[in-house]
Each structure stands twice: as structure tokens, then as C-alpha cells.
Amino acid sequence: LLKINPYFVPATDDNFYYRENHRITAAFKFEYYKWYKISGGITYYQADAYPYFYEPVVKGNFEAIRDEVDHFSIFGEWWMYPGPAGEVNASVAYTRVTLPNGNLVPYHPEFEGRLNYSYAFPKFTLRLGGKFHANSYADAANTVKLDPVIDLSFGGIYSFTPAFQVTLDLENL
């Protein structure tokens, strides 16, 4: 939960696990030699105690609450492995996680996308990337809609020797 939300207060939740009931997944993967890979699929499951965030009276700190949910997602991913043009990977997902009343779970975007590119020079690797999240709400009643988020990133790795590298990453640009 801390990876999803760094403002989560862990002392408010005594159980970090939830059980998925009736999970059904259908997926495919296609690889063309060592050049690229395309994969995707669809998933559905129900969970009895799925954790999600709510903001209590103390602004900025989040606590977890649990409820029954239905989880449905369609996802796709594309990889172009390292070659003369660099390395590219992209993914898109539509995920609908609903509460028993049919509303979406707060702070859980329906649409997500990611695009990353890297190019390796002899001693330096350049990385560019971006993430996109859209259609999420700040409350369980789905009355406060959050703005879409675009997170751009830039980074690199400089190799002094194969065993010693320096990494610099900038996110939320």
C-alpha cells in the first residue's frame, strides 16, 4: 500500500492481504525473435476485503478501508527489445474496480498508460518516460473527480566500470 500511496499511514491497517475470489484471466503473448513482444489480456475477480484509501480529518494522511469489490481489467503491452534504435516499452490498461453500490473505488484510475524509451551509448544510457492516469475519484460516493495526471520522467546511467554505475532519475516533470 505504501508503494501505491506514500502518504498512507500503515499503523491504521493490520492486514495487508486480501483474497481474490473467482479470478479469471485470459492472456496472449506474441514474440518475434528477440526484436519485440506484444501481450495483452483480460482479468476479472471479486475480493472480500480489498483495501482502498480515504482521507480522514487529518489532511494529507490517508488510511485504508476495506470493502467487497468487483475488479475487471483489459490490458496490453508492447516491448521493442534493445537494438539499433534503442529499447521501447508501452502499456495501456482499462481497470474498473467497483464497490457493492456500483461506484468506483477512490484513488484508483480507470485508464492508465505508460511509455518508456532508452538508448544505450558506450558508457551512458539515456532514459525517457511517461505515465498517464485518468478517471478517478477522491471519495467513495464518486462526487469529487480527480484531474488526469501525466507524469514525465528523465534519467540516465553512467558506467564508470561494469561494477560501478551512477544513476540519476527525475520524475514528476
Side-chain angles (χ1 to χ4, degrees), residues 23-30 38-43 73 75-76:
R23 183 182 182 102
I24 300 169
T25 300
F28 73 91
K29 181 170 109 172
F30 173 76
I38 298 170
S39 61
I42 186 170
T43 298
S73 65
F75 54 91

Side-chain angles (χ1 to χ4, degrees), residues 25-103:
T25 300
F28 73 91
K29 181 170 109 172
F30 173 76
E31 288 191 52
Y32 182 72
Y33 295 106
K34 297 290 182 184
W35 289 103
Y36 64 87
K37 172 179 79 170
I38 298 170
S39 61
I42 186 170
T43 298
Y44 173 80
Y45 66 83
Q46 296 172 328
D48 293 332
Y50 188 84
Y52 64 90
F53 300 105
Y54 76 98
E55 190 172 5
V57 178
V58 179
K59 294 288 183 193
N61 291 327
F62 291 83
E63 295 180 7
I65 191 169
R66 295 175 176 276
D67 206 340
E68 295 176 7
V69 299
D70 286 334
H71 180 281
F72 172 77
S73 65
I74 300 172
F75 54 91
E77 189 170 35
W78 176 69
W79 285 82
M80 185 180 80
Y81 294 116
E87 180 179 3
V88 179
N89 66 61
S91 67
V92 294
Y94 169 78
T95 305
R96 187 165 178 84
V97 183
T98 55
L99 297 168
N101 63 3
N103 288 348

Side-chain angles (χ1 to χ4, degrees), residues 104 107 110-111 134-139 141-148:
L104 295 174
Y107 301 104
E110 258 189 311
F111 299 101
N135 201 24
S136 58
Y137 294 90
D139 61 345
N142 289 175
T143 57
V144 181
K145 189 168 185 173
L146 299 173
D147 293 331

